[in-house]
Amino acid sequence: MTATIIDGKAFAATVREKVAAGVATLKADHGITPGLAVVLVGEDPASQVYVRNKGTQTIEVGMNSFEHKLPADVPEAELYALIDRLNADPAVHGILVQFPVPDHLSETDIVARIDPAKDVDGLHVVNAGLLASGQKAMVSCTPLGCLMLLRDQLGSLSGLNAVVVGRSNLVGKPLAQLLLRDSCTVTIAHSRTKDLPEVCRGADILIAAVGRPQMVKGDWVKPGAAVIDVGINRIDAPERGEGKTRLVGDVDFASASEVAGAITPVPGGVGPMTIACLLANTLTACCRANDLPEPDGLTA
Amino acid sequence: MTATIIDGKAFAATVREKVAAGVATLKADHGITPGLAVVLVGEDPASQVYVRNKGTQTIEVGMNSFEHKLPADVPEAELYALIDRLNADPAVHGILVQFPVPDHLSETDIVARIDPAKDVDGLHVVNAGLLASGQKAMVSCTPLGCLMLLRDQLGSLSGLNAVVVGRSNLVGKPLAQLLLRDSCTVTIAHSRTKDLPEVCRGADILIAAVGRPQMVKGDWVKPGAAVIDVGINRIDAPERGEGKTRLVGDVDFASASEVAGAITPVPGGVGPMTIACLLANTLTACCRANDLPEPDGLTA
């Protein structure tokens, strides 16, 4: 058996198209343009690339993009004053502070300062609580992207056995909540789990989100299972030349793709969904802020 | 094999003793007396009994008990004004509004009005979010009671397979979070789960919290497992005379107690832990409000 490769790049493009259509409707019918504000503190090169990509894609779907760049030594109070202005600005529907931030700033406190309704990264404790209690939340982008890929691949998830390997606040735990909401039987496994391979072999849906390169092997996968690989790990690739590296996931793709029914590759699987879901969340936040119906197929 | 019967009534008494000792220390060393405010709207007879029991036990452990009784037709604004006053009152460390409330009031809105730091029932969305993200929370009383019984019975829970049957916001979901925090491998099962007996047979710790009388049978239980029965169901008991009833749990105690290593009875298992944990939470809230160390063994 050879698995269907889940093309996250292509699917992310369809998500962006849906977002663009939703934005066009909002503009035409209500004169409203969703706006995403991104705050970058300092000069971290990787962060600059991310922020640029987010800005470009925000414009491409027809939204307003507001970029705020602050020096690395910006006083906390100044950053908070900016967040407060963005919270109060009716043209801003989503706020994202690019992490990591310099050491003198606290990521927890920054997230707590953002209006939960504009927290399109889904990091605020209120959004974690809304998600945990089955209410409407802003859901963080990577778990939301995984859910969208699974629904697209499998249709209804009800009654399926889902095993989430990894219990991070960013991915494992919110994804478990989403799968439970879709009526999966959900198991959360982690480093303390006994006989992890056996636990994984019970999964109709297997999520790997641990950050350990190629940990999940083919013989951990139930034949026909859907495998979602959230990991992005850079490893040495001497076969590509001296000092070369390549990206791999938490799943050993070569062996797992022989057993799974469907599997996401790395790169090109979950990764491209993240910014697409950020745009989807911004559209959702804009609709909620204006008491308009939420976009179809773009929420949890 | 015959299971150890977990005596919740006796263990709850030890919890209340610990709370009383903590209260005595607070008074002696800091001149602080923890206070619990209970708000009762209307005349529901069962609620009146609960509120009276809570008040009595609060006094018994040396805390202040503040009871506020409002008429069944109290305007929402008046109830909120009371909650606001209790939120602001430094003598009040815990606030509990007894549910159910009359139909013109919203339980969700009432809970949202309570200061999360004083939400000793652990119902506020902020507390759900803090729990879900592994931070210090007020944890709702029944899940906290289950956790205490398990820790007392088993010691470390790390690496054990826990199966929680039931995904309610009040019990199943927060208990899953607590077990995950204690490093169990946690499976959440529910009405859509396929082959529930087989899922349950994988559990070292089996929690039943579904509200279906005697649903979990002995052959669903792994030999030696710890079984926690959260259900309280009243069923007909014609053997006790015409029209008689009795209380049973979600577990078929007769068959399960032949297989389990330890099991809670109904009544006398989880039930008595609930008010004990309410007192524990009030003490914890008081310590946090005064920047004092939290009581030992009374938190999650």
Side-chain angles (χ1 to χ4, degrees):
Chain A
M1 177 166 200
T2 302
T4 301
I5 310 300
I6 298 174
D7 186 343
K9 200 171 164 189
F11 191 76
T14 71
V15 170
R16 289 196 303 272
E17 280 166 28
K18 274 191 203 175
V19 172
V23 171
T25 304
L26 273 183
K27 285 183 184 176
D29 295 355
H30 304 280
I32 299 167
T33 303
L36 173 63
V38 178
V39 179
L40 176 63
V41 182
E43 311 271 332
D44 181 69
S47 292
Q48 288 181 321
V49 173
Y50 293 139
V51 167
R52 198 179 315 131
N53 285 344
K54 287 170 185 170
T56 306
Q57 295 192 27
T58 304
I59 300 294
E60 278 172 3
V61 296
M63 296 184 183
N64 290 325
S65 169
F66 309 104
E67 281 183 33
H68 296 267
K69 298 191 178 177
L70 302 175
D73 61 353
V74 65
E76 188 178 64
E78 209 167 300
L79 173 60
Y80 289 174
L82 171 60
I83 293 175
D84 292 348
R85 282 200 304 278
L86 297 172
N87 282 339
D89 185 344
V92 173
H93 304 97
I95 302 170
L96 182 154
V97 178
Q98 182 71 42
F99 291 153
V101 288
D103 285 343
H104 72 287
L105 299 170
S106 152
E107 294 188 355
T108 307
D109 292 350
I110 290 171
V111 168
R113 193 86 182 191
I114 298 173
D115 178 348
K118 296 189 178 186
D119 166 39
V120 282
D121 250 352
L123 301 177
H124 197 288
V125 72
V126 164
N127 281 315
L130 290 169
L131 179 61
S133 49
Q135 298 177 68
K136 270 188 192 179
M138 279 286 130
V139 178
S140 53
C141 301
T142 300
L144 180 58
C146 294
L147 181 74
M148 285 185 187
L149 290 175
L150 284 167
R151 285 176 175 169
D152 179 61
Q153 190 65 36
L154 302 174
S156 167
L157 310 184
S158 178
L160 296 178
N161 288 327
V163 174
V164 178
V165 187
R167 52 174 162 169
S168 70
N169 289 337
L170 273 178
V171 181
K173 289 200 280 188
L175 187 47
Q177 299 281 4
L178 291 173
L179 294 167
L180 188 61
R181 192 188 276 207
D182 268 25
S183 292
C184 293
T185 301
V186 179
T187 298
I188 309 172
H190 45 78
S191 57
R192 303 294 179 85
T193 293
K194 286 176 188 156
D195 202 351
L196 184 56
E198 184 61 27
V199 172
C200 291
R201 275 190 287 270
D204 304 309
I205 294 170
L206 180 57
I207 315 280
V210 282
R212 294 183 57 184
Q214 300 171 308
M215 183 181 78
V216 175
K217 307 298 180 192
D219 64 357
W220 299 24
V221 177
K222 179 177 175 174
V227 178
I228 303 290
D229 190 350
V230 183
I232 300 179
N233 311 285
R234 187 166 288 283
I235 62 170
D236 291 335
E239 74 279 8
R240 296 190 176 182
E242 202 187 310
K244 296 285 184 185
T245 61
R246 65 188 178 103
L247 292 181
V248 298
D250 294 346
V251 176
D252 180 43
F253 186 83
S255 62
S257 61
E258 293 295 313
V259 188
I263 187 169
T264 58
V266 176
V270 173
M273 291 297 292
T274 302
I275 297 184
C277 287
L278 177 69
L279 303 175
N281 277 347
T282 305
L283 175 59
T284 300
C286 178
C287 291
R288 290 181 184 167
N290 289 284
D291 280 326
L292 294 168
E294 298 185 13
D296 214 36
L298 295 175
T299 55
Chain B
M1 176 167 200
T2 301
T4 300
I5 309 301
I6 298 174
D7 186 343
K9 202 171 161 188
F11 191 76
T14 70
V15 171
R16 287 197 303 273
E17 279 166 28
K18 275 192 202 172
V19 172
V23 171
T25 304
L26 273 183
K27 285 183 185 177
D29 294 356
H30 304 280
I32 298 168
T33 303
L36 172 63
V38 177
V39 179
L40 176 63
V41 182
E43 311 272 332
D44 181 67
S47 293
Q48 288 181 321
V49 173
Y50 292 139
V51 167
R52 200 178 314 132
N53 286 342
K54 287 170 186 170
T56 306
Q57 296 193 26
T58 304
I59 299 294
E60 277 172 4
V61 296
M63 296 184 182
N64 291 325
S65 169
F66 309 105
E67 280 184 33
H68 296 268
K69 298 191 178 176
L70 302 175
D73 61 352
V74 65
E76 188 178 63
E78 209 167 298
L79 173 60
Y80 288 173
L82 171 60
I83 293 174
D84 292 348
R85 283 200 304 279
L86 297 173
N87 283 340
D89 185 345
V92 172
H93 304 98
I95 302 170
L96 182 155
V97 178
Q98 182 70 44
F99 291 153
V101 287
D103 286 343
H104 71 287
L105 299 170
S106 152
E107 295 188 355
T108 307
D109 293 349
I110 290 170
V111 168
R113 192 87 183 192
I114 297 172
D115 178 348
K118 297 190 178 187
D119 166 40
V120 281
D121 251 352
L123 301 176
H124 197 289
V125 72
V126 164
N127 281 315
L130 290 168
L131 179 62
S133 50
Q135 298 178 68
K136 269 188 194 179
M138 279 286 131
V139 178
S140 53
C141 301
T142 300
L144 180 58
C146 294
L147 181 74
M148 285 185 187
L149 290 176
L150 285 166
R151 285 176 174 171
D152 179 62
Q153 190 64 36
L154 302 173
S156 167
L157 310 184
S158 177
L160 296 178
N161 288 327
V163 174
V164 178
V165 188
R167 53 174 162 170
S168 70
N169 289 336
L170 273 178
V171 181
K173 289 199 280 189
L175 187 47
Q177 299 281 2
L178 291 173
L179 294 167
L180 188 62
R181 191 188 277 207
D182 268 26
S183 293
C184 293
T185 301
V186 179
T187 299
I188 309 172
H190 44 77
S191 57
R192 303 294 179 84
T193 293
K194 286 176 189 156
D195 202 352
L196 183 57
E198 185 61 27
V199 172
C200 291
R201 275 190 288 272
D204 303 310
I205 293 170
L206 179 58
I207 314 279
V210 282
R212 293 184 58 183
Q214 300 170 307
M215 183 181 78
V216 175
K217 309 297 180 192
D219 64 356
W220 297 25
V221 176
K222 180 177 176 175
V227 177
I228 302 290
D229 190 350
V230 182
I232 299 180
N233 312 284
R234 188 167 287 282
I235 62 168
D236 292 334
E239 75 280 7
R240 296 188 176 183
E242 202 188 309
K244 296 285 184 185
T245 61
R246 65 189 179 103
L247 292 179
V248 298
D250 293 346
V251 176
D252 180 43
F253 186 82
S255 62
S257 60
E258 293 297 312
V259 188
I263 186 169
T264 58
V266 176
V270 173
M273 292 297 292
T274 303
I275 297 184
C277 287
L278 176 69
L279 303 175
N281 277 347
T282 304
L283 175 60
T284 301
C286 178
C287 291
R288 290 182 184 167
N290 289 283
D291 279 325
L292 294 168
E294 298 187 11
D296 215 36
L298 294 175
T299 54

